């Protein structure tokens, strides 16, 4: 291991000087027709894509004949800070193709001194860098597509688009690009293999949908080829022009990619007595793992993904949050295998009633340690994609292994199956069906170990999702039902939502019901036995002068009742929001809340000796004020703060959360996230102070070598976590990772052996992943 670290440090020091300098080609390059004042072949309502007669070299120079003959997308329209008039920063886009690749050339006029680039690391977050975004939708359904983006230093990111605007940056795939930098502009040249895209070739004229988005942070301007009203996100597939192919795009043909991995892992686990917290054992374990994935293109738009003994040790750890509620918290999925076409699996139901939640696979809470730990996944398969322009299907099957937490606590081996089908109706709407099945293999468990575990659980449901062509109307209606051997776990949930979102006015109304018997073991349903109404109405205003870009006022609510219409929870809010032209965000909310406790409850979730929980069987009403501020991303020093203060049950509470970050471009970002909760309830009820501090550093030594370090000190969970990761991308979509994780006590536990930073567990992982196209 020591030799590997020495090698990687030497590699970093060797590439750093060469990679940090901007490329500076000849000041008078040959740019073909793009360099002229006129724009031949301009097409205001779309583009025709011509096939290249000669090879295209991806070098950013645009000196091939294909570019001289291509039509040009120009006259980008402003999206922000206003959506009237042409963009101040000029942008030109051309397209061509051959039998292997779709080629895109972009000329972005901008002074070199005005670049804003946070680092050289891939997958930079939205709103942090200058750049150009390429949106492609071969299906033209306004909901699903592909997103490719790069900035002036040729840093790439790519994502899948679902539901029109949701971007999944965890998706990785192969494409190449080059950028040439000049004093007054930067020129990008992109080649996207057709095998990377999912599409069908129809007889007759082939038409795709596309839009191009230009982002320039200094002066903050967002512009688009197809105009997008500023009340909508610029990366919205509802607003695209047509791309017409002069000859049909080639059929991608057989697409098979093998992605094997190998890792070696060293674990150290400190077993402690549950009462005294004395260390009773410290088993060390070194393990070598082999596994991998395979991606097989069944058709150009239908993909089969296989995985064997998958490993997700390189995935970033969850951001910890304090839990002051009675229910489970939601954490997003970060593992790449579960993210492609995720809307076919993970987006059924409402956020609080998902029938399938992929984090139920391969992750579970250890009842002994209290930490969320990995569960071995033995193998899995996923078939997903389009049968044609109207039908999409998804089929997922995963098998997990048995885990023995201790002699009494055993997680049985399980099999998860999800089957979905979606039928497009109208222009952007869909009818969908889902079936989820979880089988628990309990045959080898004792009666004590088997207690409370059902041998199987199933959920079936139907949904209708409405998206109007103009993006003003959005709705969802669903009905789901669960099935289990126990009749008390056979229940239903149903819901509806309809919203209208116009430039100056928006209104919405939703309703959800979850009966007491509904049980989705493979889903995320933190609460049952209730029904909720959540209305909202708002007004938006756009001043013509001054620093304010827009401001809005509104009312919204979330009113929850028992199935017999007894009020159990209420949040009524009046808000005002101000957005400045430099992207500064301000928000103030007045909130009236009511909570009925059916059982005794300690809001600190600590249940310490000497304190009593709040008595159940009664309701609590309280009022709070919430203030939020986010600074402009134009500046290197940035901040965000979210504070809430006022009454809390029968006492009071103050909460502040946010982040302070500094951008040292193009090296990386240094940040400190913070969260403080101060709870004061009258005696003998619990009072507490919770801190979560998270210093973080994201550094890039080159476009292929990155280091990240993330520390989290959480006093509510009494856990101090260290997660550091070194990533070397030695080939396209192929990486070497070195990951170190450590969990210890954040505070001493009185009258026990646990002291500040007493260890709980730690691990060191070295992993190599290679992407091989067959």
């Amino acid at each position: 291991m020591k030799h590997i670290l020495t090698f990687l440090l030497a590699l970093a020091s060797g590439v750093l000087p060469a990679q940090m300098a901007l490329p500076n080609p000849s000041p008078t390059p040959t740019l073909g027709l793009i360099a002229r004042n006129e724009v031949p072949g301009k097409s205001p309502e779309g583009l025709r894509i011509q096939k290249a007669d000669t090879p295209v070299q991806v070098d950013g120079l645009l000196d091939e004949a294909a570019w001289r003959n291509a039509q040009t997308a120009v006259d980008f329209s402003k999206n922000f800070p206003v959506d009237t008039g042409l963009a101040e920063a000029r942008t030109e886009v051309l397209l061509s193709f051959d039998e292997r690749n779709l080629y895109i050339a972009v000329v972005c006029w901008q002074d070199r001194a005005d670049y804003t680039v946070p680092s050289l690391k891939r997958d930079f977050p939205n709103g942090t860098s200058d750049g150009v975004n390429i949106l492609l939708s071969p299906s033209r359904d306004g909901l699903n597509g592909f997103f490719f983006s790069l900035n002036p230093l040729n840093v790439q990111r790519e994502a899948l688009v679902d539901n029109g605007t949701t971007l999944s940056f965890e998706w990785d795939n192969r494409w190449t690009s080059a950028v040439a930098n000049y004093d007054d502009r930067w020129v990008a040249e992109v080649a996207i293999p057709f095998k990377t895209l999912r599409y069908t070739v129809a007889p007759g004229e082939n038409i795709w949908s596309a839009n191009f988005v230009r982002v320039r942070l200094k002066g903050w301007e967002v512009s688009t080829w197809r105009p997008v009203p500023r009340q909508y996100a610029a990366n919205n597939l509802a607003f695209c022009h047509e791309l017409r192919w002069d000859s049909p795009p080639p059929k991608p043909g057989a697409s098979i990619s093998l992605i094997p991995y190998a890792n070696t892992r060293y674990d150290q686990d400190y077993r402690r007595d549950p009462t005294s917290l004395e260390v009773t054992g410290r088993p060390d374990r070194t393990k070598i793992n082999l596994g991998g994935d395979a991606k097989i293109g069944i058709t150009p738009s239908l993909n089969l993904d296989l995985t064997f003994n998958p490993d997700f040790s390189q995935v970033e750890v969850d951001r910890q949050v304090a839990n002051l509620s009675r229910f489970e918290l939601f954490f997003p999925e970060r593992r790449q295998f579960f993210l492609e076409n995720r809307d076919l699996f993970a987006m059924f139901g409402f956020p609080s009633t998902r029938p399938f939640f992929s984090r139920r696979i391969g992750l579970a809470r250890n009842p002994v340690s209290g930490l969320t730990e990995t569960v071995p996944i033995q193998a899995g398969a996923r078939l997903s994609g389009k049968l044609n322009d109207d039908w999409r299907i998804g089929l997922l099957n995963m098998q997990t292994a048995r885990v023995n937490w201790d002699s009494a606590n055993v997680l049985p081996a399980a099999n998860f199956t999800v089957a979905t089908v979606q039928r497009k109706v109208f222009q952007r709407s869909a009818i969908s069906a889902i079936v989820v099945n979880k089988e628990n293999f309990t045959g080898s468990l004792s009666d004590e170990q088997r207690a409370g575990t059902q041998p199987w659980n199933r959920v079936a449901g139907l949904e209708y999702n409405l998206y109007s062509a103009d993006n003003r109307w959005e709705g969802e209606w669903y009905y789901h039902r669960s099935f289990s051997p126990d009749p008390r776990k056979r229940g239903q949930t149903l819901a509806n939502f309809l919203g209208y979102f116009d430039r100056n006015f928006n209104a919405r109304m939703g309703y959800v019901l979850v009966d007491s018997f509904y049980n989705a073991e493979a889903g995320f349903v933190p609460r049952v036995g209730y029904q909720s109404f959540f209305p909202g109405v708002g007004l938006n205003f756009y001043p013509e002068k001054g620093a304010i870009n827009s401001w809005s006022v509104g009312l919204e609510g979330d009113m929850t009742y028992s199935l017999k219409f007894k009020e159990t929870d209420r949040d009524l809010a009046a808000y005002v929001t101000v957005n400045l032209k430099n992207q500064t965000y301000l928000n103030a909310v007045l909130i009236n809340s009511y909570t009925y406790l059916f059982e005794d409850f300690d809001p600190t979730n600590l249940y310490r000796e000497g304190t009593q929980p709040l008595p159940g069987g009664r309701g609590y009403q309280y009022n709070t004020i919430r203030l939020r501020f986010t600074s402009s991303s134009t500046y290197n020093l940035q901040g965000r703060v979210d504070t809430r203060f006022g009454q809390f049950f029968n006492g009071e509470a103050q909460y502040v959360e946010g982040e302070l970050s500094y951008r040292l471009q193009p090296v990386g970002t240094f940040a400190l996230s913070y969260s403080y909760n101060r709870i004061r309830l009258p005696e003998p009820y619990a009072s507490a102070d919770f801190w979560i501090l998270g210093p973080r550093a994201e550094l890039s030594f080159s476009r292929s070598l990155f280091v990240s370090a993330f520390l989290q000190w959480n006093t509510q969970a009494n856990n101090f976590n260290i997660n550091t990761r070194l990533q070397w991308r030695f080939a396209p979509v192929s990486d070497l990772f070195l990951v170190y994780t450590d969990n210890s006590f954040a505070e001493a536990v009185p009258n026990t052996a646990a002291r500040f930073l007493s260890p709980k567990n730690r691990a060191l992982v070295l992993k190599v992943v290679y992407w091989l196209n067959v």
Side-chain angles (χ1 to χ4, degrees), residues 2 33 114 140 160 289 453 501 565 619 702 714 768:
K2 186 182 298 182
L33 294 177
D114 288 340
R140 302 177 63 207
L160 292 175
N289 286 318
T453 301
F501 305 92
F565 286 93
S702 71
N714 185 336
V768 179

Side-chain angles (χ1 to χ4, degrees), residues 718-751:
N718 198 358
N719 192 70
F720 178 65
N721 173 259
I722 300 173
N723 180 252
T724 60
R725 181 179 66 176
L726 185 147
Q727 177 184 359
W728 174 35
R729 177 148 288 192
F730 59 87
V733 207
S734 302
D735 300 280
L736 181 146
F737 296 96
L738 182 64
V739 182
Y740 175 71
T741 58
D742 187 300
N743 288 287
S744 58
F745 285 88
E747 296 180 316
V749 180
N751 305 315

Side-chain angles (χ1 to χ4, degrees), residues 110 114-133 147 149-157 186 213-218 220-222 235 633-636 638 663 665-666 669:
Q110 181 179 7
D114 288 340
Y115 291 173
T116 301
V117 176
S119 76
L120 300 177
K121 186 178 180 181
R122 287 176 52 87
D123 296 332
F124 50 90
N126 277 333
T128 63
S129 176
D130 294 338
V132 61
N133 303 335
F147 172 98
S149 177
L150 70 165
N151 66 25
L153 300 190
N154 196 29
V155 180
Q156 300 177 342
R157 59 178 182 160
W186 55 279
V213 181
R214 172 81 183 281
V215 177
R216 186 171 56 96
L217 289 188
K218 287 192 177 178
W220 193 265
E221 181 180 75
V222 178
N235 300 315
S633 58
T634 303
Y635 310 111
N636 290 331
Q638 303 169 33
R663 178 176 61 215
Q665 66 177 38
T669 301

Side-chain angles (χ1 to χ4, degrees), residues 53 55 192 270 279 565 697-698 753 755 774:
D53 296 326
I192 303 173
Y270 290 77
V279 176
F565 286 93
E698 300 273 356
R755 300 289 182 262
V774 178

Side-chain angles (χ1 to χ4, degrees), residues 436-722:
V436 183
N437 180 65
K438 181 186 178 187
E439 296 279 345
N440 294 309
F441 298 96
T442 60
S444 61
L445 304 185
S446 66
D447 290 341
E448 179 186 8
Q449 295 169 339
R450 190 185 296 117
T453 301
Q454 293 286 300
W456 53 267
N457 172 258
R458 295 173 189 134
V459 175
L462 286 172
E463 298 204 1
Y464 172 63
N465 291 91
L466 165 71
Y467 295 95
S468 66
D470 60 7
N471 217 56
R472 284 184 169 89
W473 290 95
E474 180 179 333
E476 180 178 354
W477 293 260
Y478 79 74
Y479 177 80
H480 300 163
R481 189 163 189 87
S482 67
F483 306 88
S484 287
D486 186 348
R488 294 168 298 177
K489 296 184 181 297
R490 303 173 189 170
Q492 63 183 347
T493 174
L494 56 91
N496 63 76
F497 172 83
L498 183 63
Y500 178 79
F501 305 92
D502 202 356
R503 182 182 185 86
N504 298 105
F505 173 76
N506 63 81
R508 54 206 175 275
M509 180 64 189
Y511 171 78
V512 60
L513 179 147
V514 183
D515 76 17
S516 302
F517 298 144
Y518 183 70
N519 180 41
E521 284 191 18
F524 181 80
V525 186
R527 185 178 186 179
V528 296
Y530 74 95
Q531 53 185 329
S532 286
F533 299 86
F534 39 98
V537 62
L539 296 172
N540 304 320
F541 303 91
Y542 303 91
E544 295 183 3
K545 298 180 180 180
I548 296 177
N549 182 60
S550 66
W551 64 281
S552 59
V553 294
L555 300 171
E556 58 188 12
D558 189 346
M559 298 165 287
T560 301
Y561 302 86
S562 71
L563 299 178
K564 295 182 179 181
F565 286 93
K566 174 181 174 60
E567 186 177 31
T568 62
D569 296 89
R570 178 182 70 242
D571 283 304
L572 300 177
Y575 67 86
V576 57
T577 299
V578 177
N579 294 290
L580 303 185
K581 289 182 178 178
N582 69 354
Q583 277 289 286
T584 298
Y585 167 86
L586 301 162
N587 173 252
V589 191
L590 298 176
I591 307 169
N592 171 259
S593 300
Y594 173 82
T595 302
Y596 183 88
L597 297 180
F598 290 91
E599 300 174 347
D600 294 353
F601 172 64
D602 180 359
T604 70
N605 278 312
L606 295 178
Y607 295 91
R608 287 172 171 163
E609 256 186 73
T611 65
Q612 295 181 13
L614 295 174
R618 58 163 294 189
Y620 300 82
Q621 183 166 288
Y622 43 100
N623 300 299
T624 54
I625 297 175
R626 185 177 188 180
L627 302 174
R628 287 182 284 186
F629 165 80
T630 302
S631 68
S632 171
S633 58
T634 303
Y635 310 111
N636 290 331
L637 182 63
Q638 303 169 33
R640 174 180 60 83
V641 62
D642 181 353
T643 182
R644 186 168 177 168
F645 53 90
Q647 300 167 327
F648 187 61
F649 288 93
N650 61 348
E652 62 179 29
Q654 294 83 40
Y655 158 86
V656 60
E657 180 270 337
E659 183 175 88
L660 185 67
S661 64
Y662 181 75
R663 178 176 61 215
L664 182 63
Q665 66 177 38
V667 175
T669 301
F670 301 88
L672 174 66
S673 60
Y674 54 88
S675 172
Y676 172 62
N677 286 270
R678 182 181 184 271
I679 301 171
R680 294 294 182 267
L681 304 181
E683 293 184 351
Y685 308 117
S687 296
D689 295 86
F690 296 143
W691 281 96
I692 300 177
L693 296 177
R696 175 173 51 88
E698 300 273 356
L699 304 177
S700 57
F701 298 110
S702 71
R703 294 185 186 88
S704 59
L705 187 60
F706 322 111
V707 173
S708 65
F710 187 26
L711 285 64
Q712 297 184 90
W713 182 59
N714 185 336
T715 60
Q716 185 186 35
N718 198 358
N719 192 70
F720 178 65
N721 173 259
I722 300 173

